[in-house]
Amino acid sequence: MRKINLYFLLLIVFCVNHVFAQRILTLEESKQLALENNTQSKNSKLEIEASKQIRKSAFTNYFPQISAGGLMWSAQKSLMEAGIEGGDLPVYDGDPANLGSATQFAYFPDATLGLLKKGTVGYINAVQPIFAGGRIFNGNKLASLGEDVSEFKDKLTQNEILLKTEEQYWLIVSLEEKQKTIGKYEELLNRLLSQVEDAFKSGMVMKNDVLKVKLKLSEIQLNKSKLENGKKLATMAFCQHIGIPYDSTMALKEELKISGIPQSIYVDKNESLKKRMEYSLLEKSVEAEKLQTKMKLGEYLPQAGIGISGIYMKLDEAKDRTLGMVFGTVSVPISGWWGGSHELQERSIKEEIAANNFKNTTELLVLQIEKSWQDLTNTYKQYLLSEESKTQAEENMKVNDDSFKNGLINVSDLLEAQALLQQTLDQLTDAKTNYIVKKTTYLQVTGR
């Protein structure tokens, strides 16, 4: 007796530990985990950070460009040479009167002077752009636009992740519902088998009726195995998507419940269009093409700047020197104007292409919203029809069960009624799941 009590106590402790160890996830928790752990979400955040660095880099173009350099050399021969012709040079005796008619001379041979045989030169320059054809200003606007685009893409990525999270979440919930349905069907069949076996022993039914029930039970076992495998794969995919280790004991808290009607969330498609991230991205693409045209135009405009320079020099055996200077630069790309006119025409064509794409894609987005609404209303109708079919199947099952007990119908008729009930329950589960997912999709495509 004590041993039995001990086993019973251990069983209770095991069950309690199992319950407390089980992880229960709500839909909102699953969404949060997906946004935090999903690889696409992480990469999207990195894209935003990269675009921020590009914007900061573009801003540095407003500041002076500083450069420094130096040169040190020692040549085999002087880089510059000058020859001096030799000859007789008058000797000065100290009397200025005799300077022009000297009678004494000193011979001076030919000579060569060399310069720059060795030397050291260093410099540092700072140039402040005054006018660069608008490329600095437009380049900064383009970089800021790129950051905005990265943020819009991040929101699109989040929407995709959230939608996929809901789809996978409700898939597992629907599989669990089907497991409950098939479990109840199995209970009915087991009770029916017991009744039919008793009836067979009493000679009221044939052996064939017993075999029919057993065959249905075998089918149930096969379907249960398929459902279990499908749920396992769906759970593994779900865990990978939200970034947690696979847990076979994990449970989902939400239930398949339909609240409200589609009309309660309806919005005008043209009004909701401008709330879409895709619409904002299309606007940015048109703006980007215009900025790139301005950048290209800036390449063919004059460039001007001012600067200061510091130079250090030590040449040959002379003393080292340092000096500074202020300078201005002006550059006019004259030779590029001919080819530039064609490149600017190319940019104009690309602007027109971007405008055409904007118009076409905007129309497709409106169609997508309309289709999503039609899908939502259709799935709601399917849900209502499934509810009605379920009610009819339950009533049909009750009538057939009473008729079987009263001997008015055979086993095949009752089995058919039971199978029909299971089928309608599964269809109702699918209808609920589809409606919930379509509702989420409609909210997303209308910018909510």
Side-chain angles (χ1 to χ4, degrees):
M1 183 68 180
R2 290 179 180 178
K3 184 178 291 186
I4 294 175
N5 290 337
L6 178 61
Y7 287 153
F8 183 69
L9 180 62
L10 290 175
L11 179 61
I12 292 176
V13 171
F14 174 78
C15 293
V16 170
N17 289 337
H18 179 74
V19 170
F20 280 102
Q22 187 181 41
R23 185 169 190 175
I24 301 176
L25 283 177
T26 65
L27 180 59
E28 290 305 316
E29 288 172 343
S30 302
K31 289 180 179 180
Q32 189 61 37
L33 286 170
L35 292 177
E36 291 174 358
N37 301 326
N38 189 273
T39 301
Q40 285 181 294
S41 181
K42 291 179 180 179
N43 289 342
S44 184
K45 294 292 188 296
L46 291 175
E47 289 289 343
I48 293 177
E49 185 58 33
S51 63
K52 287 181 178 178
Q53 298 304 319
I54 294 174
R55 176 181 56 78
K56 292 177 180 179
S57 174
F59 185 73
T60 62
N61 292 327
Y62 283 115
F63 300 104
Q65 305 299 308
I66 300 175
S67 61
L71 174 65
M72 180 181 290
W73 76 92
S74 178
Q76 184 178 6
K77 295 182 179 181
S78 299
L79 300 181
M80 296 179 62
E81 292 184 346
I84 301 177
E85 187 177 352
D88 294 327
L89 296 178
V91 178
Y92 178 50
D93 60 2
D95 186 355
N98 298 327
L99 185 60
S101 58
T103 59
Q104 296 182 4
F105 297 89
Y107 178 73
F108 181 79
D110 295 343
T112 301
L113 296 179
L115 297 173
L116 304 180
K117 185 176 182 182
K118 62 180 181 178
T120 302
V121 177
Y123 68 90
I124 180 169
N125 293 331
V127 179
Q128 173 63 55
I130 300 299
F131 180 73
R135 284 186 293 170
I136 296 177
F137 175 74
N138 291 317
N140 274 269
K141 289 186 66 176
L142 194 59
S144 296
L145 186 144
E147 186 177 354
D148 292 339
V149 167
S150 296
E151 291 176 352
F152 288 144
K153 287 183 177 179
D154 176 58
K155 292 178 181 177
L156 277 177
T157 301
Q158 289 183 22
N159 287 341
E160 292 173 0
I161 291 172
L162 292 176
L163 179 58
K164 187 174 181 180
T165 302
E166 287 221 19
E167 289 175 346
Q168 294 186 344
Y169 189 96
W170 292 118
L171 172 61
I172 296 173
V173 172
S174 68
L175 291 173
E176 290 176 348
E177 284 293 317
K178 290 181 178 180
Q179 284 181 319
K180 294 177 184 177
T181 301
I182 203 170
K184 292 178 181 178
Y185 185 28
E186 185 180 22
E187 290 178 7
L188 289 174
L189 287 175
N190 283 323
R191 286 199 298 268
L192 178 61
L193 178 62
S194 177
Q195 295 173 5
V196 172
E197 285 180 337
D198 291 341
F200 173 68
K201 292 176 182 177
S202 302
M204 297 176 62
V205 297
M206 299 177 62
K207 180 69 174 178
N208 187 45
D209 292 331
V210 178
L211 294 176
K212 287 179 181 178
V213 178
K214 288 184 176 180
L215 180 60
K216 280 293 181 182
L217 279 170
S218 297
E219 291 178 4
I220 289 295
Q221 294 300 320
L222 178 60
N223 291 335
K224 283 179 65 177
S225 177
K226 289 180 178 179
L227 276 175
E228 184 63 34
N229 291 335
K231 181 189 171 185
K232 181 179 179 180
L233 290 175
T235 303
M236 292 177 68
F238 180 70
C239 290
Q240 189 278 331
H241 176 69
I242 64 176
I244 63 173
Y246 168 68
D247 183 3
S248 60
T249 65
M250 183 185 68
L252 304 183
K253 189 175 182 179
E254 312 297 337
E255 296 181 358
L256 286 170
K257 292 182 179 179
I258 305 299
S259 59
I261 59 176
Q263 285 72 18
S264 64
I265 60 172
Y266 175 79
V267 292
D268 182 77
K269 53 182 175 292
N270 294 312
E271 292 180 2
S272 60
L273 174 65
K274 295 183 180 179
K275 298 179 182 179
R276 302 255 324 244
M277 291 299 106
E278 294 90 339
Y279 184 84
S280 298
L281 281 172
L282 288 170
E283 288 184 320
K284 294 297 181 182
S285 67
V286 174
E287 185 179 349
E289 290 296 338
K290 292 179 179 179
L291 285 173
Q292 288 180 14
T293 299
K294 292 179 180 179
M295 292 282 287
K296 179 60 68 175
L297 176 62
E299 295 179 8
Y300 305 109
L301 296 176
Q303 320 292 316
I306 59 173
I308 59 174
S309 180
I311 302 174
Y312 167 83
M313 292 187 299
K314 179 171 176 55
L315 306 176
D316 296 326
E317 302 302 328
K319 294 182 178 180
D320 57 349
R321 298 178 62 199
T322 58
L323 57 93
M325 64 177 178
V326 179
F327 60 90
T329 64
V330 177
S331 173
V332 181
I334 298 174
S335 62
W337 288 346
W338 186 15
S341 64
H342 298 291
E343 291 185 347
L344 290 174
Q345 289 181 20
E346 176 196 2
R347 292 300 322 153
S348 178
I349 293 171
K350 289 186 175 180
E351 281 188 35
E352 187 175 353
I353 291 174
N356 291 337
N357 289 336
F358 175 80
K359 181 177 180 297
N360 181 64
T361 309
T362 298
E363 293 171 351
L364 292 175
L365 290 175
V366 172
L367 287 175
Q368 184 188 32
I369 295 173
E370 179 62 28
K371 181 180 182 301
S372 179
W373 171 251
Q374 296 295 334
D375 291 342
L376 180 63
T377 53
N378 287 335
T379 52
Y380 187 72
K381 291 176 183 177
Q382 290 173 4
Y383 157 69
L384 294 178
L385 289 173
S386 297
E387 280 282 9
E388 185 178 348
S389 297
K390 172 203 167 190
T391 302
Q392 294 173 352
E394 288 176 338
E395 181 64 26
N396 180 64
M397 176 62 196
K398 184 177 181 303
V399 171
N400 279 273
D401 188 47
D402 292 339
S403 299
F404 177 75
K405 290 177 181 178
N406 294 322
L408 300 177
I409 62 172
N410 57 32
V411 172
S412 297
D413 294 330
L414 183 59
L415 288 175
E416 184 179 348
Q418 289 176 340
L420 182 60
L421 177 60
Q422 184 203 1
Q423 181 182 351
T424 55
L425 289 173
D426 286 344
Q427 288 175 348
L428 178 59
T429 298
D430 290 336
K432 288 180 178 179
T433 305
N434 290 337
Y435 177 76
I436 292 173
V437 172
K438 295 299 182 183
K439 181 179 178 181
T440 302
T441 303
Y442 179 71
L443 291 173
Q444 282 196 2
V445 300
T446 53
R448 293 174 287 175

